Amino acid sequence: MDLMQFVPMFGNFAFMIVAFVVALSVIVAIHEYGHYIVGRWCGIKAEVFSLGFGPVIYSRMDKHGTLWQVAALPLGGYVKFLGDANAASVGSDGSVDPVDARRTMTGAPLWARTLTVAAGPVFNFILAIAIFTGSIMYQGRTTEPVTFGQAQPLPAQFQTDLQPGDVIAAIEGFAFTDAEREVSLIDLLPLQENLTYTVIRDGQQMDVTGPYLMPPLISGLAPRSAADSAGLRIGDVITAVDDEPVFAFRQLQQKVIAAEGAPLDLTVWRQGNLLDVTLSPRVTDEPQPGGGFAQSYRIGITGQLFFNAETETVGLFEAGRLGVEGLWNTATTSISALHHIIVGRISTCNLSGPVGIAETSGSMARQGTQSFIWFIGALSAAVGLINLFPIPVLDGGHLMFYAYEAVTRRKPSDRAVQVFMFLGLALILTMMSFTVLNDTIFCR
């Protein structure tokens, strides 16, 4: 089932809100469940597990004495442990019998409190790995040698003589190996509308004609990009830029860079119809393979080959390894981006707050169920990472207090905790206000 079918029913704004609530609810539920279940394993009793805040819509009591509830404002959630003074598990309300002190967050051993707090971000990371792994297993990987599966839906001028089952040995005399396909082959090919493909068909080698390997076909849209804002969709083919025909994604890239932000008039083929779209490339900070960022003019689309190759199943262990690698790349890129923002090397527009995340949620949901699920994985990784920052109020702040306790053999005073919590909350609210202004005013 594709999420796009629901857009006309709800309208874009309502669809965006629904997508945001769904993504946030999944991530918060997993995060808080990590706190809950590990706390229970460590002997700490959870009194309330709440998804959302405010008036309670639904609740039930389980056999462990935990009240599970759904509240009216789906903007987060919490686990309230036995004796907690508040939903942030800071301080004690003083109502717990000394006999039950071990079952509270304040009275449990340091190791139990540490594991319980750390479990929230860890469960976010586990969710991200699981989604990345599942996506890799679902998509599979291209078989070697590369075998033609089926052509993408393209305008009539992009014709091919390739047939399903053809093994592609070379293009214009260049061997079609995996490394060349991904890295250098596109740059080696002559920039011409039709290419000669050497294929193995029924055991016989022959040359057939096909379109340029990577046409200006949209396979991905960057959320909140120029292309996304202009209403372009996955599957669209850009056939002309400023009335000049294009047949290669390389040509489109060159024209976008050459425009230096000036408006471009695009002719777009969409399911047999031609549309006129005008958009302006935007300066984008792009992570580089060797680290750091580089600025380039982009409209926010990615391309793909003109055909789908046959794929093979990726094993669980290999997919899991790639899933962990995906989590690591997401985390390191996020940390690098934050560092570059702080030192002023890239724009603060790379920071998104609730409004930007909601818009991104809607954009990814419109691109299809698979894209939306992948986005939930990436957002879960980001939420887990942010929660580990050593800022009071966040899980990382609690872990910072526990580290102090482990070193000094005593807990920080209630007064010190309250002061740091106030400062941490002020910092979080300031950052949230800044990102909201970013999303709505500064970076529009």
Side-chain angles (χ1 to χ4, degrees):
M1 181 182 294
D2 199 309
L3 298 173
M4 277 297 293
Q5 64 181 295
F6 296 106
V7 176
M9 186 186 306
F10 288 103
N12 282 338
F13 180 76
F15 184 77
M16 177 188 74
I17 296 301
V18 170
F20 176 57
V21 169
V22 169
L24 186 63
S25 297
V26 170
I27 291 167
V28 168
I30 291 295
H31 180 96
E32 297 301 335
Y33 185 77
H35 290 315
Y36 161 77
I37 192 64
V38 173
R40 202 180 87 189
W41 293 340
C42 293
I44 302 173
K45 175 180 171 55
E47 291 188 314
V48 179
F49 185 109
S50 181
L51 189 59
F53 300 97
V56 176
I57 299 174
Y58 168 81
S59 66
R60 73 172 183 84
M61 184 75 71
D62 69 9
K63 64 180 181 180
H64 300 287
T66 300
L67 180 68
W68 295 74
Q69 66 183 38
V70 177
L73 298 176
L75 299 176
Y78 62 90
V79 176
K80 185 178 183 298
F81 292 102
L82 178 65
D84 284 351
N86 48 59
S89 298
V90 177
S92 172
D93 63 7
S95 65
V96 179
D97 188 290
V99 177
D100 289 328
R102 168 61 181 81
R103 302 172 67 202
T104 68
M105 277 294 284
T106 55
L110 179 60
W111 64 267
R113 286 178 278 140
T114 300
L115 291 178
T116 300
V117 169
V122 169
F123 269 53
N124 281 134
F125 295 149
I126 291 173
L127 174 63
I129 293 172
I131 288 176
F132 294 157
T133 299
S135 296
I136 292 167
M137 295 183 69
Y138 175 78
Q139 293 174 358
R141 63 183 167 199
T142 303
T143 58
E144 291 293 341
V146 181
T147 303
F148 185 88
Q150 62 179 9
Q152 300 284 357
L154 294 169
Q157 62 265 36
F158 294 89
Q159 294 296 319
T160 180
D161 295 328
L162 279 84
Q163 298 179 6
D166 284 351
V167 175
I168 304 176
I171 305 175
E172 292 292 328
F174 296 104
F176 195 51
T177 64
D178 181 71
E180 286 177 326
R181 184 177 73 252
E182 296 297 338
V183 180
S184 61
L185 185 57
I186 296 295
D187 295 328
L188 294 174
L189 293 175
L191 195 57
Q192 58 191 46
E193 196 163 355
N194 293 299
L195 301 175
T196 299
Y197 292 77
T198 302
V199 302
I200 308 298
R201 179 183 299 170
D202 299 326
Q204 301 294 319
Q205 179 172 306
M206 63 181 68
D207 289 338
V208 296
T209 301
Y212 191 78
L213 183 60
M214 184 177 285
L217 165 67
I218 299 177
S219 65
L221 281 166
R224 307 171 70 207
S225 64
D228 188 30
S229 300
L232 294 181
R233 300 177 186 173
I234 292 177
D236 287 350
V237 181
I238 299 171
T239 59
V241 179
D242 292 336
D243 294 326
E244 293 184 19
V246 294
F247 57 83
F249 198 84
R250 280 170 58 191
Q251 293 174 303
L252 178 60
Q253 288 177 311
Q254 292 166 359
K255 290 183 178 296
V256 167
I257 293 171
E260 296 184 338
L264 294 173
D265 294 322
L266 308 181
T267 302
V268 179
W269 180 90
R270 178 181 296 168
Q271 298 178 344
N273 299 313
L274 291 179
L275 310 173
D276 292 324
V277 175
T278 300
L279 52 74
S280 298
R282 302 173 184 172
V283 174
T284 304
D285 296 300
E286 297 181 326
Q288 301 301 297
F293 288 77
Q295 289 190 334
S296 302
Y297 281 101
R298 296 287 185 262
I299 61 174
I301 66 173
T302 53
Q304 66 180 77
L305 306 184
F306 77 90
F307 66 92
N308 288 325
E310 292 185 0
T311 59
E312 59 186 5
T313 303
V314 180
L316 177 61
F317 290 107
E318 174 65 9
R321 182 189 69 79
L322 295 173
V324 171
E325 188 176 295
L327 172 65
W328 176 257
N329 291 336
T330 300
T332 53
T333 300
S334 299
I335 292 173
S336 175
L338 183 60
H339 170 259
H340 281 74
I341 290 172
I342 292 173
V343 299
R345 293 176 184 165
I346 62 175
S347 170
T348 56
C349 291
N350 290 282
L351 282 175
S352 290
V355 175
I357 294 172
E359 291 178 341
T360 302
S361 300
S363 175
M364 296 303 288
R366 285 192 296 271
Q367 293 183 37
T369 304
Q370 187 175 341
S371 295
F372 183 58
I373 293 175
W374 181 91
F375 167 71
I376 291 177
L379 185 59
S380 182
V383 168
L385 179 65
I386 290 171
N387 266 280
L388 286 178
F389 287 177
I391 300 174
V393 177
L394 300 180
D395 294 330
H398 289 279
L399 295 175
M400 181 176 63
F401 291 140
Y402 297 159
Y404 171 86
E405 183 179 343
V407 171
T408 63
R409 303 297 182 181
R410 67 176 184 274
K411 294 181 179 180
S413 68
D414 290 342
R415 176 62 179 167
V417 170
Q418 290 173 359
V419 169
F420 280 114
M421 284 291 176
F422 175 80
L423 294 175
L425 181 60
L427 177 61
I428 293 296
L429 291 176
T430 299
M431 289 299 300
M432 185 172 294
S433 299
F434 177 75
T435 56
V436 169
L437 290 174
N438 245 6
D439 294 335
T440 56
I441 300 176
F442 300 148
C443 300
R444 282 296 181 183

